[in-house]
């Protein structure tokens, strides 16, 4: 497959190069200056002509140019009708490129894409795997709820395809279908369960992605496939590895005990006071019990380690988060070197990796200390990278390296990037608080920065100094005095507010400076920022309480200014402070405690890393990057206190172990073989339970064939303890046959028993299945020396499987196409045959003669009239239309439409005719002859024929008079696209039996019993659809038949009454889209009273 895709890519690349040259020619060639503006139009017209050419070479060239346009981001949607015509091309290269185009534009042009749905269904059986996969991709890209059943069955078929590339695309389609219709979840889970058992590395990543999207909580589906996924992980494509690793991380946190508990045992070293001696002894024994890692836990950690050397940064990051979350702390250190290696990548990768390193470095500094220099800031780094590196350097700072880091920080402060310089000052402040030995050094250095020329650096220094002084309430009067002088030069509001707060808190330590600062602030109060005004009010209140002699009048002046400020926060603060500090008759009890309130000891701010609270998100996820829970995020569960039963990961092997006889090495091959074949058979039987007998037989045959190769992966399904003896296990896993003939006979008989169970569940050939059961049971009861009878059993089973396989070639689930002669009942002349030959071939005749199916007279129902043109819009001309439900005289594929024209004006309307027609691709219209004149209050009815191509698309055209043209449209109800058919009950059942599987849709109806009488059901069904009643010999089953006007495909409707007030509505037809729409319209009509 890969070689085909590479060749395909090379051809596409060549097409793009050729297309570049052609485009350049097309742009230059037009004469005159206007050629530049008309080249696009001419180019598209040229492409349309090439696509309509009879030569495949021209079509292929056009498609290469169109795909090249899409690759460069140009809009090629207007070419959709011309491209979709070539969807049935016999040239494989053209078909590939058409499907590439349709995947891109099918969602935008849904109506046109639906016209080709039968072609996509037929392509699902194409011999070329790329065509089958592309058809499924296009089908899943048409996001219309009507075709959900078709998509569902197509996915089921593709999941059993022989090509892993097709199965991979089936897994991709599961996610698209789930987003379109979440109600299909249960059926999709069955397909996911089947695909999870796939042994192909091409499928593994895609199906796990579908699992994460549809049913991430169904961990039970992973149990049996856990070891296989661990062993396949190295060979899966890169993005599949990322998805699988994240899923296995969640799985490990649910299924294994914490490997970190051994490090946490020191917390319980002291004896609890109230513990009895027995309890204390139990606790001691529990702590002394050594931790033993589950072999499956170790398997995951060991198999992901080589991926740390991957070239894909996402894979390395995924393995790093796995080691961080599930490996012992002593082993997590190996990820640090790989993460540091990723810092040589582009800036986007650096940003994500540094964010995760910042979170890790908070808890485990020792992991990244050897790589300290790798986090030094470079001049070429963008600001976001510089800030993250600063964060990591701060987390890694300790007494040993702080002197080196402070020298590095001194350089960073001088940076031209002011945002980075401010972040460096904050970093120095955090280092000063975390390492007490350098606190004074950092404080002196920050004070030196107060004389810096850059205002932003000075402002940030003031803010950090304020926090440091608050954390160390010692005598720092000189620093406060120095900062008070800066008020004349600093203009940054945060810095000014910080200085005022510091002076207010230490106003008793600087009694001479504080009142003077308040005086200066009172002058500039009205022009200050709101943040500064609030601190001026606080400073005034504190000075009023501690030094009212000097500041009483000044404070009252400031309070008067604040009383009339524009900001309501400042006005409220002013009223609050005035009532609290200025005693009067109205003052409450709080005024006594004003000094305690304003001058209370403030808690010191905690300078923490902004990444401290991110550790509860899984590393490497979008939620961790944004620090908020993103949509679709799956939280990691806590470690279980007691490990769940590990046998669930090899439950099949343990159950079957009792039946094996001691046979040496062959004992390990049989369980693996039986494990895969039996599980796959059970899955197939659950999927095909409602299908025909031949389908279940074919699936069991395929499972039998696939189980022969399952012995190659027996090592994957064996437990970790068994696989410790690696050389023996590998030799047995690769051996295609077993030397022990006795064991071989035993396994064959067991396989025969499984086949008999399968044939029982699917109700295929009772006689054959019973014979297999008899032979298999006999072989089990016999002793080991009777191996010949077992060989006979095996030969019989092979013959049975061959018969089943040959039977499935006649009828399969995807025989749905419009071009299938077997299932399209079109009238053909009956060949002349002798009576005896007719009797012999009666059961094999699949065609339908004209005597069986013929158009009948429609049941009379009141005609429903629809407005075509309102008299106000038509300037006096009114038009209505209805469907007379009669065969059209203009063409057998056309629907008859009658239009009534009325002249509601007081003047004659002349030359009424059909003007320009805007019809979808394939639709045709036979218009009425022009009407010379229509007298006032006059009326006339004319007939038209429209070929709607068995779709409900709108026919848009212009209804014109001598003076005006009016745009009108006709959209047919789904029931008017049918013609009633007369047929017997026997013929109805015969045709219905041929239209099963994908051609059948059904629904349950609930209503009152009086609505289930024959006359009521007939009236309701005929009102919705133009169908004929089929005579029925059963009172509780009502049948109706019709055929589509365009293609003549049968439409069979069955209403089967159940017990109580329920009924089953079943529709069988090749036209699955029409069938789905008709089911949707009939269901509410039959349900209502």
């Amino acid at each position: 497959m890969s070689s085909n895709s590479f060749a395909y890519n090379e051809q596409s690349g060549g097409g793009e190069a050729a297309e570049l040259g052609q485009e350049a020619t097309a742009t230059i060639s037009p004469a005159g200056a206007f050629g530049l503006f008309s080249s696009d139009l001419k180019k598209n017209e040229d492409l349309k002509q090439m696509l309509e050419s009879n030569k495949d070479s021209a079509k292929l060239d056009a498609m290469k140019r169109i795909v090249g346009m899409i690759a460069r981001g140009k809009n090629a949607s207007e070419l959709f009708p011309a491209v979709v015509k070539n969807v049935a091309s016999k040239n494989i290269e053209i078909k590939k490129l058409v499907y590439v185009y349709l995947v891109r534009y099918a969602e935008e042009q849904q109506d046109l894409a639906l016209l080709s749905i039968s072609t996509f269904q037929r392509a699902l059986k194409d011999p070329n795997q790329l065509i089958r996969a592309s058809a499924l991709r296009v089908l899943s890209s048409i996001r219309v709820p009507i075709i959900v059943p078709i998509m569902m069955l197509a996915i089921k078929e593709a999941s059993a395809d022989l090509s892993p590339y097709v199965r991979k695309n089936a897994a991709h389609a599961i996610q698209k279908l789930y987003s379109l219709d979440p109600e299909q979840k249960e059926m999709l889970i069955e397909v996911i369960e089947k695909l999870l058992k796939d042994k192909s590395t091409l499928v593994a990543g895609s199906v796990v992605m579908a699992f994460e999207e549809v049913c991430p909580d169904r961990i039970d589906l992973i149990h049996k496939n856990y070891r296989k996924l661990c062993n396949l992980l190295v060979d899966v494509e890169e993005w599949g590895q990322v998805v699988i690793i994240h899923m296995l991380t969640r799985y490990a946190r649910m299924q294994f005990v914490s490997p970190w508990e051994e490090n946490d045992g020191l917390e319980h070293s002291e004896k609890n006071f109230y513990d009895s001696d027995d309890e204390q002894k139990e606790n001691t024994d529990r702590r002394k019990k050594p931790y033993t890692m589950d072999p499956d836990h170790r398997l995951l950690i060991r198999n992901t380690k080589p991926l740390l050397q991957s070239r894909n940064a996402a894979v390395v990051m995924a393995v790093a988060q796995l080691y961080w979350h599930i490996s012992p702390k002593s082993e997590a250190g190996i990820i640090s070197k790989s993460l540091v290696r990723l810092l040589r990548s582009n800036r986007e990768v650096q940003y994500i990796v540094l964010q995760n390193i910042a979170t890790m470095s908070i808890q485990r500094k020792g992991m990244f200390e050897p790589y300290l220099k790798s986090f030094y800031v470079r001049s070429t780094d963008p600001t976001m990278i510089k800030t993250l590196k600063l964060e990591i350097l701060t987390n890694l700072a300790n007494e040993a390296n702080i002197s080196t880091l402070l020298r590095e920080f001194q350089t960073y402060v001088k940076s031209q990037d002011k945002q980075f310089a401010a972040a460096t000052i904050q970093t120095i402040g955090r280092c000063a608080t975390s390492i007490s030995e350098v606190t004074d050094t950092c404080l002196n250095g920050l004070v030196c920065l107060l004389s810096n020329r850059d205002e932003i650096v000075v402002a940030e220094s003031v803010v950090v100094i304020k926090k440091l002084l608050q954390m160390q309430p010692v005598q720092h009067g000189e620093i406060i005095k120095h900062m008070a002088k800066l008020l004349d030069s600093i203009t940054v509001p945060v810095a000014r507010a910080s200085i005022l707060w510091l002076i207010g808190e230490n106003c008793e330590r600087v009694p001479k400076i504080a009142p003077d600062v308040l005086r200066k602030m009172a002058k500039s109060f009205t022009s200050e920022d709101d943040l500064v005004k609030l601190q001026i009010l606080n400073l005034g209140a504190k000075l009023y309480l501690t030094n009212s002699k000097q500041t009483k009048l000044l404070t009252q002046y400031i309070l008067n200014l604040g009383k009339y400020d524009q900001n309501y926060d400042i006005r409220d603060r002013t009223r609050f402070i005035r009532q609290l500090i200025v005693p009067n008759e109205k003052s409450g009890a709080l005024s006594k405690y004003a000094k305690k309130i304003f001058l209370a000891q403030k808690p010191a701010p905690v300078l923490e890393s902004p990444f401290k609270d991110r550790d509860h998100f899984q590393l490497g996820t979008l939620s961790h990057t944004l620090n908020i829970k993103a949509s679709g995020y799956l939280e990691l569960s806590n470690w279980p206190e007691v490990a769940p039963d590990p046998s669930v990961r090899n439950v099949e092997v343990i159950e079957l172990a009792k039946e094996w006889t001691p046979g040496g090495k062959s004992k390990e091959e049989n369980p693996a073989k039986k494990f895969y074949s039996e599980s796959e058979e059970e899955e197939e039987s659950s999927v095909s339970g409602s299908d025909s007998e031949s389908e279940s037989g074919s699936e069991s045959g395929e499972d039998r064939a696939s189980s022969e190769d399952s012995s190659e992966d027996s090592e994957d399904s064996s437990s970790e303890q068994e696989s410790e003896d690696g050389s023996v296990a590998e030799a047995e896993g690769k051996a295609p046959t077993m030397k022990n003939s006795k064991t071989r006979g035993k396994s064959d008989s067991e396989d025969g028993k499984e086949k008999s169970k399968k044939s029982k569940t699917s109700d295929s050939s009772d006689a054959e299945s019973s014979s297999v059961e008899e032979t298999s049971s006999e072989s089990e009861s016999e002793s080991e020396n009777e191996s010949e009878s077992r060989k006979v059993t095996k030969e019989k089973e092979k013959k049975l499987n061959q018969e089943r396989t040959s039977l499935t070639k006649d009828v399969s689930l995807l025989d749905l196409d419009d071009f299938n002669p077997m299932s399209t009942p079109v009238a053909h002349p009956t060949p002349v045959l002798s009576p005896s030959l007719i009797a012999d071939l009666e059961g094999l005749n699949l065609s339908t003669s004209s005597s069986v199916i013929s158009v009948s007279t429609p049941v009379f129902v009141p005609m429903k009239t629809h407005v075509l043109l309102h008299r106000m819009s038509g300037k006096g001309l009114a038009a209505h239309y209805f469907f007379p439900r009669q065969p059209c005289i203009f063409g057998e594929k056309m629907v008859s439409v009658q239009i009534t024209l009325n002249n509601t004006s007081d003047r004659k309307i002349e030359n009424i005719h059909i003007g320009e027609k805007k019809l979808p691709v394939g639709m045709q219209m036979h218009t009425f002859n022009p009407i010379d004149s229509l007298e006032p209050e006059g009326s006339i009815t004319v007939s038209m024929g429209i070929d709607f191509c068995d779709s409900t698309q709108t026919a848009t055209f212009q209804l014109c008079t001598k003076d005006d043209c009016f745009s009108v449209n006709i959209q047919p109800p789904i029931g008017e696209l049918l013609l009633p058919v007369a047929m017997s009950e026997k013929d109805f059942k015969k045709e219905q039996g041929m239209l099963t599987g994908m051609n059948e849709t059904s629904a349950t109806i609930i209503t009152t019993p009086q609505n289930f009488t024959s006359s009521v059901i007939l009236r309701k069904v005929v009102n919705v659809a133009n169908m004929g009643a089929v005579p029925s010999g059963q009172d509780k089953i009502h049948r109706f038949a019709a055929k589509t006007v365009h293609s003549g495909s049968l439409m069979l409707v069955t209403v089967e009454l159940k017990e109580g007030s329920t009924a089953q509505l079943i529709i069988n037809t090749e036209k699955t889209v029409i069938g789905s729409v008709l089911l949707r319209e009939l269901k509410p009509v039959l349900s209502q009273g």
Side-chain angles (χ1 to χ4, degrees), residues 852-916:
V852 176
I853 299 177
S854 60
V855 177
S856 64
T857 306
V859 180
F860 174 78
V861 291
M863 291 297 175
K864 298 178 183 177
T865 306
H866 310 273
V867 176
L868 182 65
L869 180 64
H870 194 271
R871 59 185 179 84
M872 299 297 291
S873 304
K875 298 182 180 180
L877 177 63
H880 297 78
Y881 69 95
F882 64 93
F883 300 89
R885 293 193 171 181
Q886 295 291 341
C888 184
I889 59 175
F890 304 114
E892 60 180 8
K893 293 186 177 183
M894 290 188 173
V895 177
S896 182
V897 183
Q898 292 194 2
I899 300 177
T900 302
L901 303 169
N902 297 300
N903 184 358
T904 61
S905 66
D906 54 357
R907 58 182 178 79
K908 184 190 296 184
I909 300 178
E910 297 179 349
N911 191 20
I912 303 174
H913 62 281
I914 300 296
E916 182 183 0

Side-chain angles (χ1 to χ4, degrees), residues 415-451:
S415 171
Q416 297 297 319
D417 187 345
K418 301 308 173 188
Q419 185 180 351
F420 171 56
T424 304
I425 294 171
Q426 294 178 3
T427 299
I428 295 172
R430 280 180 53 196
C431 290
T433 57
S434 60
I435 303 171
S436 57
E437 288 84 355
V438 295
T439 302
D440 292 335
T441 306
C442 292
L443 194 56
N444 293 333
L446 291 172
V447 171
C448 294
L449 290 177
L450 294 178
S451 57

Side-chain angles (χ1 to χ4, degrees), residues 576-636:
F576 169 71
I577 291 175
R578 188 188 294 276
Q579 292 296 322
L580 200 58
I581 67 174
V582 181
N584 56 31
E585 297 175 358
K586 297 181 181 180
S587 297
L590 279 179
S591 59
K592 301 176 184 178
Y593 307 102
K595 193 166 185 178
K596 290 184 178 180
I597 292 172
F598 278 101
L599 299 174
Q601 186 69 31
K602 309 295 190 301
V606 181
L607 299 179
E608 291 182 339
S609 169
F611 289 85
K612 187 175 183 180
D613 59 341
R614 296 196 187 197
D615 55 353
H616 60 277
F617 290 117
Q618 185 177 354
L619 295 183
T621 59
L622 179 63
S623 300
H624 176 268
T625 303
L626 301 178
N627 200 22
I628 56 172
K629 188 174 180 179
S631 176
Y633 173 72
L634 301 171
E635 292 185 359
L636 283 178

Side-chain angles (χ1 to χ4, degrees), residues 1014-1027:
S1014 300
S1015 58
V1016 173
I1017 292 175
L1018 175 63
R1019 174 173 52 82
K1020 289 185 174 181
V1021 171
V1022 173
N1023 272 335
V1024 173
N1026 185 17
M1027 308 194 77

Side-chain angles (χ1 to χ4, degrees), residues 15-274:
E16 289 179 25
E19 184 240 334
L20 284 171
Q22 290 178 4
E23 277 194 357
T25 307
T27 306
I28 300 171
S29 59
F34 294 101
L36 293 172
F37 302 99
S38 61
S39 61
D40 287 341
L41 178 63
K42 289 187 177 182
K43 179 183 66 176
N44 289 342
E45 289 298 326
D46 180 39
L47 288 172
K48 290 178 182 178
Q49 291 177 5
M50 294 171 70
L51 289 170
E52 293 173 359
S53 170
N54 294 327
K55 296 181 180 179
D56 284 350
S57 58
K59 291 181 179 180
L60 183 60
D61 190 28
M63 284 309 305
K64 287 180 178 179
R65 288 173 57 185
I66 292 170
V67 173
M69 288 170 59
I70 297 172
R72 290 195 305 278
K74 294 185 178 180
N75 185 12
S77 58
E78 63 176 17
L79 295 167
F80 195 95
V83 172
V84 81
K85 290 179 183 177
N86 295 285
V87 73
S89 173
K90 294 181 180 178
N91 187 306
I92 292 179
E93 294 302 320
I94 295 175
K95 188 176 283 191
K96 287 179 190 174
L97 294 175
V98 169
Y99 279 138
V100 170
Y101 178 90
L102 291 178
V103 169
R104 170 65 180 81
Y105 288 109
E107 191 169 349
E108 299 176 13
Q109 305 275 352
Q110 293 175 353
D111 292 338
L112 290 175
L114 283 173
L115 290 176
S116 304
I117 198 165
S118 60
T119 309
F120 303 145
Q121 293 173 357
R122 188 165 57 256
L124 291 171
K125 298 181 295 181
D126 194 277
N128 190 316
Q129 59 180 354
L130 293 177
I131 299 300
R132 295 199 301 274
S134 299
L136 184 60
R137 288 176 62 197
V138 176
L139 198 61
S140 59
S141 298
I142 306 174
R143 302 182 61 77
V144 181
I146 297 173
I147 65 168
V148 165
I150 300 175
M151 289 172 59
M152 186 70 244
L153 289 166
I155 289 172
K156 284 185 177 180
E157 278 291 309
S159 66
D161 197 279
L162 294 178
S163 166
Y165 181 66
V166 178
R167 300 198 297 273
K168 177 187 179 74
N169 279 273
H172 291 163
I174 288 173
Q175 304 166 57
K176 296 181 182 178
L177 179 55
Y178 180 70
S179 64
L180 180 62
D181 185 8
E183 294 181 1
Q184 304 291 326
K185 181 175 181 178
E186 292 304 320
M187 297 178 71
L188 291 174
I189 290 177
E190 294 178 7
V191 182
I192 290 173
E193 185 175 7
K194 178 180 177 181
L195 287 173
L196 278 171
K197 298 170 184 174
D198 202 303
K199 303 171 210 170
S200 172
T201 55
L202 198 64
V203 182
S206 301
V207 68
V208 171
M209 188 68 219
F211 169 83
E212 292 282 82
E213 187 74 22
V214 178
C215 52
D217 53 333
R218 288 290 304 273
I219 292 296
D220 56 296
L221 301 179
I222 305 298
H223 291 323
K224 298 176 184 178
N225 304 289
Y226 171 81
R227 294 182 184 131
K228 181 188 72 176
L229 288 173
C230 289
N231 288 313
L232 292 181
L233 191 58
V234 179
D235 298 319
V236 176
E237 45 94 17
E238 292 171 341
W239 295 111
Q241 289 174 343
V242 175
V243 176
I244 293 174
I245 290 171
H246 278 277
M247 185 273 292
L248 292 178
T249 304
R250 287 196 308 110
Y251 181 87
R253 287 291 288 259
M254 295 181 188
Q255 299 298 315
F256 307 129
V257 294
S258 172
W260 307 332
E261 289 179 359
E262 55 184 346
N263 300 332
D264 300 335
L266 300 174
E267 296 177 4
H268 307 284
S269 58
E270 295 182 7
K271 177 179 177 181
N272 291 331
F273 181 77
Y274 291 103

Side-chain angles (χ1 to χ4, degrees), residues 504-516:
E505 282 296 297
N506 299 277
C507 57
E508 293 178 340
R509 298 190 183 115
V510 283
K512 295 181 180 179
I513 295 176
D516 193 51

